[in-house]
Amino acid sequence: MPGMPCQPEQSKMSQRILNTAKPTPAPTQRHHPSPPPKLGRRAASAAIAIAAAPALRAVSPASSRAQEVEPEAVGVAGAATAAATVAAPCLAELPVTATAFLDVSIGGEPAGRITVGLFGDAAPAGASRFLSLVTGVGYRRKEFVKIVPGYVQHGGVVSYPAVSAVTDRLAAEADALRARCPGGGAVHGAAGAVSIVVRDPSLPPPKPKLVARGGKLEVEEEQAGVAPNGTEFVITTGAAPELDAAAVLVGRVLDGMDVVAKIAAVPTVRDNAASPYFRVAKLIGDKRAVVAERGFNRPYTKVVVSNCGVLSKTE
């Protein structure tokens, strides 16, 4: 048929057109432009320098960086060692004039005995106060109410009134002990310190309040929360410098730090002090915030002083 030879020519022409369209992907070249020859050499040399920089840093300055870090690490370790050596003599070198014991139960099961040596010469008022509370019904069957990193806290005897003459004398002994320790502080810089709480730095300042008396309005100060009554005590499980301003050192643990460790391992209520709602409530003096704060870090399981008493006392 005369028209048949025309079909291969058309197909060859269409293939040429298709083939010529394939090698020119203009959009692809726009997305990945190739630099000019001169700029490519500069970019290549810059890329080689950038790629080689980490390797050079890894080879040479690594040792110098290690030398820079090592003095810092040594400095931190040295500071910690220095703090321990400053705190430990203050706690270990004070003479013990009396010993007392605390039998502890956790969840109704006996956990062991803590033997406390009291510093009757360095803190006569504090040691006498502790001795009076381990006899009779003072600390007996009372609970530990707070467990935080650094110390565990006993709730004391809530029925005792807060007598300012007593707490002021204990606070004065706390200040004297801080001045006596090397460096003028770090009383609670080591584990095993036994102290009575005399101040609560977290309490907000008293707020003025209008009160009607005899047909007249009078202004008096109202304290949000409960001030310490000088019966709560703490036992440190490590460095707790925040206690220096709040508690008076009365003794140290002579035996039974394993029992203190068992108390410290009891699960506690989560501390929600970082909540913005709590912070605002605490700022305005809302009593509910103070009550809620007393529940923070409280052990879920009852930790109780099942029995206590005096073991020895020098006259």
Side-chain angles (χ1 to χ4, degrees), residues 34-46:
S34 59
K38 290 184 179 180
L39 187 60
R41 292 170 189 170
R42 293 175 184 174
S45 60

Side-chain angles (χ1 to χ4, degrees), residues 33-176:
S34 59
K38 290 184 179 180
L39 187 60
R41 292 170 189 170
R42 293 175 184 174
S45 60
I48 292 170
I50 293 171
L56 294 173
R57 283 198 300 267
V59 172
S60 57
S63 58
S64 62
R65 221 182 311 154
Q67 292 174 357
E68 292 175 2
V69 172
E70 284 177 4
E72 292 179 1
V74 170
V76 172
T81 306
T85 54
V86 166
C90 187
L91 183 63
E93 292 182 359
L94 294 176
V96 173
T97 60
T99 56
F101 71 91
L102 303 167
D103 290 335
V104 179
S105 66
I106 300 176
E109 297 295 329
R113 170 171 289 191
I114 302 171
T115 304
V116 179
L118 298 169
F119 306 143
D121 293 337
S128 176
R129 181 79 163 174
F130 193 88
L131 283 173
S132 67
L133 290 165
V134 295
T135 58
V137 294
Y139 287 145
R140 190 174 299 165
R141 297 180 183 177
K142 305 300 189 302
E143 299 180 34
F144 283 85
V145 297
K146 187 177 183 180
I147 300 172
V148 294
Y151 66 92
V152 297
Q153 181 172 337
H154 189 272
V157 186
V158 295
S159 60
Y160 277 36
V163 181
S164 59
V166 175
T167 54
D168 290 347
R169 186 179 176 186
L170 295 173
E173 282 190 352
D175 297 337

Side-chain angles (χ1 to χ4, degrees), residues 159-199:
S159 60
Y160 277 36
V163 181
S164 59
V166 175
T167 54
D168 290 347
R169 186 179 176 186
L170 295 173
E173 282 190 352
D175 297 337
L177 274 170
R178 279 205 307 275
R180 176 174 177 171
C181 286
V187 179
H188 299 88
V194 181
S195 303
I196 292 178
V197 179
V198 295
R199 301 187 185 103

Side-chain angles (χ1 to χ4, degrees), residues 168-267:
D168 290 347
R169 186 179 176 186
L170 295 173
E173 282 190 352
D175 297 337
L177 274 170
R178 279 205 307 275
R180 176 174 177 171
C181 286
V187 179
H188 299 88
V194 181
S195 303
I196 292 178
V197 179
V198 295
R199 301 187 185 103
D200 187 357
S202 66
L203 281 179
K207 295 180 63 177
K209 178 183 177 182
L210 283 176
V211 180
R213 286 196 183 96
K216 295 181 180 180
L217 288 177
E218 298 179 0
V219 178
E220 67 177 24
E221 290 187 340
E222 181 184 26
Q223 177 67 61
V226 181
N229 61 0
T231 64
E232 298 174 272
F233 71 88
V234 296
I235 304 176
T236 59
T237 57
E242 66 272 20
L243 293 176
D244 288 349
V248 54
L249 181 69
V250 299
R252 67 173 180 267
V253 176
L254 301 178
D255 188 25
M257 279 306 294
D258 58 327
V259 181
V260 179
K262 291 178 185 178
I263 299 172
V266 174

